[in-house]
Amino acid sequence: MAYDPDPSPRPDLDDTGAYNNSHRAFLQAFLSHSVLTADEIKPILAAVLSAHEGRPMLEGDITAPDISQYVTAVNSRLSSLDLEIRSTRSQTDRTLIYALVNTTSDPLTQLATTRTPDEISYVKRVLDAMFETNNTRSREIMAVSSVEAANLAKVGRNRQSNANEDGEEASQAKNLSLNEAEKVLQECVEEGWFLRSRAGYYSLAPRALMELRALLKETYNEPPDPEDAEDEGVTRIRDCEGCREIVTVGQRCSDRECGCRLHDHCTQQFFRNQTGERKCPKCKEEWTGNSFVGEKVVTRTRPSGRGSGAGPSRRTDETADLED
Amino acid sequence: MPPISRKRRAPANEESETTISFTQQRNQQRASPDDEDDSVEEEQGNGSGSLNQLSKGLVRYALACEYSRMPIKRQDINQKVLGSHSRAFKHVFAAANAQLVETFGMEMVELPNREKVTVRQKRAAAASESQAKTSNQWVLTNALPPKYRVPEIIAPPRIPTLEVESAYVGLYTLIVALISLSGGSLPENKLERYLKRMNADQSTPVDRTDKLLARMIKEGYIVKIKDSSAGEEIVDYMVGPRGKVEVGDDAIMGFVKTVYGDGAMEDLEQRVERSLGIAERRVPSQTQRAVNGNGEAGPSTQTRRPGRPRRRSRSEQERGEESE
Ligand SMILES: [Zn+2]
Ligand SMILES: [Zn+2]
């Protein structure tokens, strides 16, 4: 054959050791897919092993321990680069999701290199709206409607002064056009950072939660002032009492003062063994199941009858007070 | 994700990387512009200016660039990764590339220089002594054996959807193949005719045809050459730097085989090789294909596994010997 498809491998691609081409190919799959579910990984790992072993492997041959073994091997190489393959479960349907994430709290290199400073500043405004404006003690929406997101394309006056508190950033941030803002949002959705709900709300996708876990708490939770005994601090980001992952969609204790949060699925796990009335694991108040975290805060309390047809652009009394 | 830090956190990535404190002042003073190789020599530790840290920065930067199909530029490496250590470029680059190969099975490959094709460009090139021999731009390419480079493992990268992106890969492979098989240059009207035959002269699954071609030009898959030195303007398409690196001869061969199917005539490969000028490109040639400035067979012979001597396939070698 004139066409030689497989010249002898290069010496630095050691294929014999504990870390070989199958691991490299597995890692490459994570570079080309931003997020992978366990079910999506199985055919990929089957293809990797088929290529490596030289005999066909089927998706069904791949077990959960196989996946963990590969993830562990790859992570041992990635840790010195501050990268890691992490997994989490979807907050809504508990699907197991994997993604290659940065472990440093420095911003994602990829966003810093591919976005303009004005675009980054816009994403920051959207995050602030998610976790501050739309995340008050009485209303933990933790999502931003399409209309709000569009309004954030402009650098608001109060935003600017906020940014000036710490001097350096955002003070020179310029407005984005509506089109530009729309494009940034769309790309964030495609890259697995944001979710866009049917009602048009943007919230953080599992990949973002995995990567930003620590950063979100550090940014939006304010520890109590040690000098001031009265000061309790502000906790805007809370973990699930069941699975210990961040809750941005789920249920909360009916007592507003109580910090207990649970994912919908986690309530089932949690209350399975309880007989009689469900009680908050923290304060023992009745767990009603109708105090929400997430866009349901808005969509579930809306005048009924319109279903999902009533988009977020409809300015109801419910949304009016969110938009000062 | 973008930096969302607003409280006393370290400044964003770029700043923190460019303001790395120089740990060994004497290096800075001693090093002359010529001895760019030894400024990191003694720094093997993990300090902020160490080879390890700089190499890690470059690995992360290279991954980020590839994510958005931006070339990795030397200027940007100096600015965003090396900062005050730009003299250590060679060392850091070699270390980062070794790490990319060993961990990811990927390597940075230098893009060929833009070919000087029009009379005016050639004159300008001849006139300027300072013409750079290298492009100082790299892209991240897959260094794994071809058996791992299958769509089951590495999907075409994101944006906007997988289907559209796959279509895009197919279309640029097609157009690069058409240009290569036409001897390296394809007149605009001929390309239009090919596209018309495939019913792709107005629109494609990816985008409107004109926008699609504009994107391929922007990303360096193809180059549009306008030459009016002979009076009327002639527009030709040639293969661009990224097209040469990413769509190698073997990809074109595979593409032609797919098109012709199993029933292809036996000498198809040879005919394709002849069209691609594989044999003739081995000798310094006056033909347009080899106008890469350095008189050697251009980087197009190094497709797919560039950066090291290409292993000639047996028959190619034989044919080469015959013609010599
Ligand atoms: Zn939970
Ligand atoms: Zn409670």
Side-chain angles (χ1 to χ4, degrees), chain A residues 81-83 100-117 119-121 123-124 127 168-169 193 207-208 211-212 215-216 218-219, chain B residues 1-6 9-18 56-57 60-61 64 80:
Chain A
L81 292 165
D82 293 338
L83 296 170
L100 179 63
V101 303
N102 288 278
T103 56
T104 47
S105 60
D106 76 4
L108 253 199
T109 359
Q110 61 204 36
L111 271 196
T113 47
T114 59
R115 308 248 184 254
T116 68
E119 288 171 345
I120 292 174
S121 158
V123 176
K124 280 195 241 179
L127 289 173
E168 5 121 24
E169 62 189 69
W193 295 113
R207 175 181 176 185
E211 184 146 346
L212 302 178
L215 191 57
L216 287 172
E218 201 182 317
T219 308
Chain B
M1 252 3 222
I4 57 173
S5 58
R6 290 166 308 139
R9 195 115 20 70
N13 197 19
E14 289 184 20
E15 286 102 312
S16 61
E17 275 175 355
T18 48
K56 166 176 143 185
R60 289 168 60 92
Y61 180 70
K80 297 184 176 179

Side-chain angles (χ1 to χ4, degrees), chain A residues 103-232:
Chain A
T103 56
T104 47
S105 60
D106 76 4
L108 253 199
T109 359
Q110 61 204 36
L111 271 196
T113 47
T114 59
R115 308 248 184 254
T116 68
D118 290 339
E119 288 171 345
I120 292 174
S121 158
Y122 172 64
V123 176
K124 280 195 241 179
R125 294 199 292 279
V126 173
L127 289 173
D128 285 352
M130 273 181 201
F131 294 106
E132 283 180 353
T133 323
N134 288 0
N135 181 25
T136 61
R137 205 139 82 139
S138 55
R139 306 161 62 80
E140 296 182 349
I141 302 167
M142 298 200 181
V144 173
S145 75
S146 311
V147 173
E148 292 169 291
N151 288 338
L152 290 166
K154 281 191 179 164
V155 186
R157 232 178 309 125
N158 50 349
R159 287 279 148 213
Q160 241 165 358
S161 58
N162 262 355
N164 282 341
E165 277 170 25
D166 50 10
E168 5 121 24
E169 62 189 69
S171 46
Q172 312 101 330
K174 292 190 199 69
N175 296 341
L176 292 191
S177 73
L178 287 181
N179 278 344
E180 288 165 341
E182 174 68 26
K183 190 171 151 268
V184 171
L185 290 171
Q186 200 191 326
E187 285 167 1
C188 284
V189 171
E190 282 153 10
E191 291 166 13
W193 295 113
F194 288 173
L195 293 173
R196 190 178 195 277
S197 73
R198 217 173 299 165
Y201 279 84
Y202 291 96
S203 61
L204 282 195
R207 175 181 176 185
L209 288 170
M210 274 187 256
E211 184 146 346
L212 302 178
R213 200 181 279 160
L215 191 57
L216 287 172
K217 288 183 182 172
E218 201 182 317
T219 308
Y220 295 108
N221 289 351
E222 292 164 26
D225 183 352
E227 309 278 292
D228 182 356
E230 302 283 285
D231 184 15
E232 296 169 336

Side-chain angles (χ1 to χ4, degrees), chain A residues 94 240-245 247 261-266:
Chain A
R94 309 304 293 152
C240 172
E241 209 64 30
C243 67
R244 297 286 158 198
E245 299 273 355
V247 179
R261 304 289 179 271
L262 282 166
H263 293 113
D264 290 337
H265 271 77
C266 295

Side-chain angles (χ1 to χ4, degrees), chain B residues 159-171:
Chain B
I159 20 182
T161 68
L162 225 58
E163 294 80 56
V164 171
E165 198 56 22
S166 306
Y168 180 61
V169 174
L171 282 162

